[in-house]
Amino acid sequence: MDEITAEPGAGRRQRGEGRGAAARRASRSGGGAGPAMPYITRKIKAYEVLDEEGLELIERNADIVLEEIGIEFRDDAEALELWKNAGADVRGQRVHFPKGLCRELLKTAPSEFTWHARNPERSVRIGGNATVFAPVYGSPFVRDLEGVRRYATLEDFRNFVKLAYMAPSIHSSGGTVCEPVDIPVNKRHLDMVYSHIKYSDKPFMGSVTAPERAEDSVAMAKLVFGDEFVENNCVMLNLINANSPMVFDETMLGASKVYARHNQASVISPFILSGAMSPVTVAGTLTQILAEVLAGASFTQLIRKGAPVLFGTFAASISMQSGAPTFGTPEPALVSYGAAQLARRMGLPFRTGGSLCASKVPDAQAAHESANTLNMTLLAGANFVLHAAGWLEGGLAACYEKFMIDQDQLGMMQKMAEGVDLSESGQAMDAIREVGPGAHYLGCAHTQANFQTAFYRSALADNNSFEQWEIEGRKRIEDRANALCRSWLDSYEAPALDPAIDEALLAYIADRKNSMADAFT
Amino acid sequence: MDEITAEPGAGRRQRGEGRGAAARRASRSGGGAGPAMPYITRKIKAYEVLDEEGLELIERNADIVLEEIGIEFRDDAEALELWKNAGADVRGQRVHFPKGLCRELLKTAPSEFTWHARNPERSVRIGGNATVFAPVYGSPFVRDLEGVRRYATLEDFRNFVKLAYMAPSIHSSGGTVCEPVDIPVNKRHLDMVYSHIKYSDKPFMGSVTAPERAEDSVAMAKLVFGDEFVENNCVMLNLINANSPMVFDETMLGASKVYARHNQASVISPFILSGAMSPVTVAGTLTQILAEVLAGASFTQLIRKGAPVLFGTFAASISMQSGAPTFGTPEPALVSYGAAQLARRMGLPFRTGGSLCASKVPDAQAAHESANTLNMTLLAGANFVLHAAGWLEGGLAACYEKFMIDQDQLGMMQKMAEGVDLSESGQAMDAIREVGPGAHYLGCAHTQANFQTAFYRSALADNNSFEQWEIEGRKRIEDRANALCRSWLDSYEAPALDPAIDEALLAYIADRKNSMADAFT
């Protein structure tokens, strides 16, 4: 397996280098058949599970939820005041929305926008036919390269940022790729945002755990991109979970308000474990998701018209025997397919899916659950995909080996998204004529001309004979993933960062850290 | 994990028992959320990767292949004579088809038919919205329950038939579930067909390795179903591989002729490792597949008008570095999606997919490759799915543990195929009204009424906490699959078989075996 030691496509790329060289290097790397692309442009169509009648039914039901039941905004008075002024019927913290109000407000939200990276070549599109993959988010634990499950540290955080930067199939270094629990809880967002800027030049996410941490994220982004650029462009996506069912809490609303005010994107994501946070049915869950997103997304437009906002969905179920979350099962897939359709009708970019699983180890359970989720993610036409690599154990642990396995699968999704090439070369009639019945295509001119890019090439799959596999030590894929991960981390080189910007960031962080006592809860 | 010791849904079912009781038992079994169904009726639509223009382009190109290049029929004179009489231009063994000839001949082939089981409750539909899963086919090796990879035996064969019989999500006990290499090669087909009849009452496949073995399969089927029934109904599906590119060999044609004469189904399957047996492109591969199927399938109609025939596709690629077959990659998925569309336009039932992989062990590689293939299989709308469970190592080994893992995944596909329930209960508006913002759905009336069947319930996935998983011995899914497999085999009970039929079959086998010297190659 000479691919193990191959360098990844993106990691070695230097500023000023042409795309061609990087593409050739990525193609040699075994990290994927094609070059590292800033994001996927899907040429295949989206799969749909609901017809027009079904979609209208769910939209009608969501309107009923919004008007009759309402959504709670557990904020200071500001949010409720804004809703009152917008024409909603506010009773306590419960907001009841007249039919059509949310959709009317959402007319100012963009259906597509650019999420800027500090390296313009890595900026991505959010919406339309674009799909953007980002790593696991929020895990307090890691499963490390020794196979030990332990609390995550800032070093782990940096490692996952580096790996996401190096992986040709991952388009954003993400947000809270793991919780650096060795850093005080009120200060770690500063180290996280800094790590994204320092160790990667792909687009990143801001902190959402308190409004002042969102402000810090914006301030640091301004040191990189400039004040005016940030106020007029999206440089951060920010994960705003609904506290389902039908609640937005003060923390999430506080962060969302900060980001919307600064023109940064909110990913309004009902966090659904069906059976606990939503009904046990797909259609019922879709109705609730739609109502929650309509309320949360339109709220961003009350803060600032035109602020980018995504229709998000985190869909899983629970085991009705134990109450434990389950992943990769059919029902959440149907939910995500349906939610994607609702998002397209609403004209908002859509977030769902990833490589979700409940398994404690990167075994066949982890892979089946992840693959079921990921295949759905691509075919649903998701625009932004959090948890696309490294997620283990219901998200409780970020796993190095699984990260490597997942990024390989993400490369396959990119190839799948290219669809069928119907060009003259794609039709390959010359090859069929040249070879004819009973011969083989290995040496024909068309094969010779196309073999290097013909098929997705996995750096981790073992396709050798059983005998060769035995000679090489009977390795499982996680063994190969472990070796590849070590090799990537060993060969990591940071992208260039203007020393003045670096200094300004470090000064900002020092100043902010000095202003606070350490907090660990 | 109390599911480990649970009995499977189908295995314990006795003749004469009502479907309700069996359904309740299946639902308790942990083998799947729903009852054991004889086959899947898809309520979701098929996914398509080609538009009308693309489909027409490939059809035009296939017509060119058929007319200009031709297909070789390496048969005795009969096939060539039949083609001559039908109006084809026959040069040596190469048959050139005037435009439209194959499609004209195929007008007599049924678009949908019943594949009868000896237990009528297990008969399945082939075609339309039906999907039928069958186990791995043709493996010379097994990976056994001790983790040893060795040549397969008749005992293994019987075990896989028993497991397929017991699995609620598998609808046919298949054909050569593994090669019983302890039995002489010229006699083992008798033991294989007998095992299917004796140890299962699901529909099975006939032998195709020689015309006389096909005749034996038909003769044995007649002892079970009666002469007249067999001549007028399909009781066997039979795998007729094209020797791609563009060749049908004498063995396959010989078997196909026997089956077509007796009204049994041929699954005409180009066996494609793209890059070796077909061009390195998806569109080129589709063109060749279509030409091969048009020729092979229409040939069955020359033998007997109305004989059932399937559009088959076995799609994989090769590593262009090593020449080794690869599975679960994007390109073969695109091929299968496209072939399914071509089959539907042709009005023939379609075979593709399964749980294919190259891995030597049931690890995450095996699962990713299998899941990528299986998700495609369902969404492509495949009607008949060989290799749906147990396939390992590019098909070289049938694996017990993987069989159990796969059958669990097949249960998920069945649930997925049900699509979104838009009934009043599916909409769950009562639940949303009852629960309201900030509460949970666990105890609400709608959840209480629906929780038992709400979600697919895996018997193998571990969804417990990390701590519970540690207490239970840090088991991987293959450990749990191993235990479940042993438990199923221990609790296996054969379906009833009329002793007179059993006796007649054994007499037939003894007679045939006595008439032949043992052959081992």
Side-chain angles (χ1 to χ4, degrees), chain A residues 130-141:
Chain A
T131 293
V132 168
F133 291 132
V136 57
Y137 186 107
S139 305
F141 299 98

Side-chain angles (χ1 to χ4, degrees), chain A residues 86-409:
Chain A
D89 173 14
V90 179
R91 311 175 203 164
Q93 293 185 309
R94 187 84 66 97
V95 182
H96 298 259
F97 306 83
K99 193 165 186 296
L101 172 61
C102 296
R103 287 181 185 277
E104 184 59 34
L105 289 171
L106 279 169
K107 284 183 178 165
T108 54
S111 61
E112 215 178 317
F113 62 92
T114 295
W115 179 14
H116 292 272
R118 69 177 178 90
N119 175 352
E121 288 192 4
R122 304 212 189 279
S123 295
V124 301
R125 291 291 286 173
I126 297 291
N129 289 326
T131 293
V132 168
F133 291 132
V136 57
Y137 186 107
S139 305
F141 299 98
V142 294
R143 185 179 160 86
D144 69 19
L145 287 167
E146 309 299 328
V148 176
R149 191 236 204 202
R150 56 169 174 73
Y151 276 109
T153 65
L154 185 58
E155 193 191 339
D156 294 309
F157 190 99
R158 290 176 183 145
N159 283 341
F160 282 112
V161 169
K162 291 174 183 177
L163 293 171
Y165 164 65
M166 296 175 89
S169 59
I170 296 180
H171 314 108
S172 155
S173 50
T176 309
V177 291
C178 60
E179 279 287 347
V181 298
D182 52 339
I183 309 292
V185 74
N186 57 337
K187 298 178 175 176
R188 64 175 70 141
H189 64 287
L190 300 162
D191 295 293
M192 293 197 270
V193 171
Y194 177 74
S195 297
H196 279 294
I197 297 166
K198 175 78 176 174
Y199 301 109
S200 172
D201 62 1
K202 292 183 177 179
F204 64 91
M205 303 172 74
S207 174
V208 294
T209 51
E212 64 272 21
R213 295 174 199 159
E215 294 284 8
D216 280 333
S217 304
V218 171
M220 291 174 73
K222 286 184 172 180
L223 294 176
V224 177
F225 292 92
D227 287 24
E228 201 187 322
F229 191 88
V230 170
E231 292 296 333
N232 292 296
N233 294 281
C234 174
V235 302
M236 283 180 288
L237 252 61
N238 306 286
L239 182 60
I240 307 299
N241 280 335
N243 201 336
S244 303
M246 297 169 274
V247 172
F248 287 93
D249 65 28
E250 190 168 3
T251 305
M252 290 289 117
L253 289 171
S256 188
K257 285 194 287 189
V258 169
Y259 285 119
R261 277 198 184 101
H262 293 287
N263 199 41
Q264 302 306 303
S266 293
V267 186
I268 305 292
S269 295
F271 183 90
I272 300 287
L273 303 176
S274 289
M277 286 89 146
S278 79
V280 291
T281 63
V282 172
T285 298
L286 281 169
T287 296
Q288 184 184 307
I289 287 172
L290 180 56
E292 290 174 0
V293 170
L294 277 166
S298 58
F299 177 70
T300 64
Q301 303 303 300
L302 290 183
I303 300 295
R304 174 167 167 165
K305 285 190 198 313
V309 60
L310 279 77
F311 184 134
T313 293
F314 178 91
S317 298
I318 59 167
S319 159
M320 298 309 295
Q321 284 71 45
S322 68
T326 63
F327 300 92
T329 51
E331 299 82 7
L334 291 167
V335 167
S336 285
Y337 278 124
Q341 292 184 256
L342 294 166
R344 279 192 290 275
R345 284 161 72 91
M346 205 192 286
L348 287 187
F350 180 62
R351 172 249 161 157
T352 199
S355 299
L356 310 183
C357 66
S359 187
K360 317 302 174 287
V361 280
D363 64 351
Q365 178 185 341
H368 268 298
E369 292 171 345
S370 295
N372 289 347
T373 310
L374 187 60
N375 278 277
M376 171 282 292
T377 301
L378 179 73
L379 295 190
N383 298 114
F384 176 58
V385 184
L386 210 51
H387 314 308
W391 165 292
L392 199 68
E393 226 192 274
L396 283 177
C399 173
Y400 285 87
E401 290 168 356
K402 183 155 184 290
F403 186 99
M404 300 308 292
I405 297 171
D406 288 340
Q407 63 86 28
D408 184 33
Q409 293 296 316

Side-chain angles (χ1 to χ4, degrees), chain B residues 141-158:
Chain B
F141 298 98
V142 294
R143 184 179 161 87
D144 68 20
L145 287 167
E146 308 299 326
V148 175
R149 192 237 204 200
R150 55 170 174 73
Y151 276 109
T153 65
L154 185 57
E155 195 191 337
D156 294 309
F157 190 99
R158 289 176 184 145

Side-chain angles (χ1 to χ4, degrees), chain B residues 192-400:
Chain B
M192 292 197 273
V193 171
Y194 177 75
S195 297
H196 280 294
I197 297 167
K198 176 79 176 175
Y199 301 110
S200 172
D201 62 1
K202 292 183 177 178
F204 64 93
M205 304 172 74
S207 174
V208 295
T209 53
E212 63 272 20
R213 296 174 200 159
E215 293 285 10
D216 280 333
S217 304
V218 171
M220 290 174 74
K222 286 184 171 178
L223 293 176
V224 177
F225 292 92
D227 286 26
E228 202 188 320
F229 190 88
V230 169
E231 292 296 333
N232 292 297
N233 294 281
C234 174
V235 302
M236 282 182 289
L237 251 61
N238 307 285
L239 182 60
I240 307 299
N241 280 335
N243 201 335
S244 304
M246 297 169 273
V247 172
F248 288 93
D249 66 27
E250 191 169 1
T251 305
M252 288 290 116
L253 289 171
S256 187
K257 284 194 288 190
V258 170
Y259 286 118
R261 278 199 184 100
H262 293 288
N263 200 41
Q264 302 307 303
S266 293
V267 186
I268 305 292
S269 295
F271 182 90
I272 301 288
L273 303 176
S274 289
M277 287 87 146
S278 80
V280 291
T281 62
V282 173
T285 298
L286 281 169
T287 296
Q288 185 184 307
I289 287 172
L290 180 56
E292 290 175 0
V293 170
L294 278 166
S298 59
F299 178 69
T300 64
Q301 304 302 300
L302 290 182
I303 300 295
R304 174 168 168 165
K305 286 191 198 312
V309 60
L310 280 77
F311 185 133
T313 293
F314 178 92
S317 297
I318 60 168
S319 159
M320 298 310 294
Q321 285 71 45
S322 68
T326 63
F327 299 93
T329 51
E331 299 82 6
L334 291 167
V335 166
S336 285
Y337 278 124
Q341 291 183 257
L342 294 166
R344 278 191 290 276
R345 284 161 71 91
M346 205 192 287
L348 287 187
F350 180 63
R351 172 247 161 159
T352 200
S355 299
L356 309 183
C357 67
S359 188
K360 317 302 175 287
V361 280
D363 65 351
Q365 178 185 342
H368 268 298
E369 293 171 344
S370 295
N372 288 348
T373 310
L374 187 60
N375 278 275
M376 171 281 292
T377 301
L378 179 73
L379 295 190
N383 300 114
F384 176 60
V385 184
L386 210 50
H387 314 308
W391 164 293
L392 198 69
E393 229 191 270
L396 284 177
C399 173
Y400 285 88

